Amino acid sequence: MEVILIRHTRVDVPKGTCYGQTDVPVAATFEEEAARTKARLAEYGAFDKVFSSPLTRARKLAAYCGYPDATTDDRLMEMNMGQWEMQRYDDISDPYLQKWFADYLHLPTQGGESFQDQYRRMCSFLDDLRRQSYNRVAVFAHAGILASAGIYAGLYTEATAWDNQTDYGGIIKIIV
């Protein structure tokens, strides 16, 4: 089955803000970015099913692309950044932040989750999806989810996932 994963467009938060699962608004550039994404998405043809993170930034892009009734799934949410949500990384005084930066793939954020937690959520979603008889599915989500899906599908390793981060409004395809 082809799984087409679409990252939400830019958000309206100051650069360097840790927004994770906070339901932040999209940037003023939404229409322009979404139009480009919609045009690229049309190249993939019809989808048997469309899913979305429940966060507005993903659902809004799904609706713009013609899927206002996309099925939402909490497993498609961005990583829970816990106590750091909506703080600028440069302003976080928590000494644990440096430990997390040194091993963000395995350590959880303060009061949140680790990348491994997010990866397990995405694996659960994809494992469930594999049991369905769809040919092509679209998933509107977040950078961490797309990275997790890329690892799951063998596009890249855990160590190189963030070197291949998908741009805002970007699309990747995996086979499951």
Side-chain angles (χ1 to χ4, degrees):
M1 159 188 339
E2 288 182 350
V3 180
I4 310 305
L5 295 114
I6 307 99
R7 183 179 180 196
H8 62 81
T9 58
R10 294 182 198 287
V11 295
D12 189 18
V13 298
K15 188 173 176 76
T17 300
C18 177
Y19 55 89
Q21 289 187 359
T22 301
D23 208 4
V24 298
V26 296
T29 55
F30 174 77
E31 293 271 337
E32 177 186 326
E33 293 176 39
R36 281 194 306 267
T37 300
K38 183 177 182 178
R40 286 192 55 223
L41 194 57
E43 298 170 13
Y44 291 95
F47 297 103
D48 299 317
K49 184 77 173 174
V50 178
F51 295 91
S52 177
S53 159
L55 296 174
T56 301
R57 57 193 182 264
R59 287 186 301 110
K60 186 169 183 167
L61 182 57
Y64 185 96
C65 290
Y67 308 102
D69 298 321
T71 300
T72 59
D73 192 309
D74 288 349
R75 295 175 292 182
L76 299 174
M77 292 176 73
E78 186 57 280
M79 193 165 90
N80 179 347
M81 299 302 287
Q83 297 167 9
W84 302 336
E85 291 268 340
M86 294 312 294
Q87 294 186 57
R88 288 183 33 80
Y89 285 104
D90 291 345
D91 297 337
I92 298 172
S93 60
D94 185 344
Y96 180 77
L97 180 66
Q98 293 311 311
K99 282 185 181 180
W100 181 76
F101 275 140
D103 192 13
Y104 65 89
L105 291 173
H106 303 100
L107 294 177
T109 60
Q110 289 284 43
E113 63 184 341
S114 68
F115 180 77
Q116 288 301 312
D117 294 329
Q118 182 181 47
Y119 178 73
R120 281 190 289 276
R121 280 195 280 116
M122 186 59 186
C123 289
S124 170
F125 173 81
L126 291 172
D127 287 345
D128 286 350
L129 196 58
R130 290 175 72 178
R131 291 190 270 280
Q132 305 301 316
S133 59
Y134 304 128
N135 291 315
R136 184 179 299 123
V137 170
V139 175
F140 291 83
H142 312 273
I145 291 298
L146 274 67
S148 295
I151 294 166
Y152 180 96
L155 295 182
Y156 25 78
T157 66
E158 192 177 85
T160 63
W162 293 108
D163 296 335
N164 296 285
Q165 185 172 348
T166 306
D167 290 335
Y168 289 106
I171 299 171
I172 65 168
K173 178 176 95 171
I174 64 170
I175 305 295
V176 297

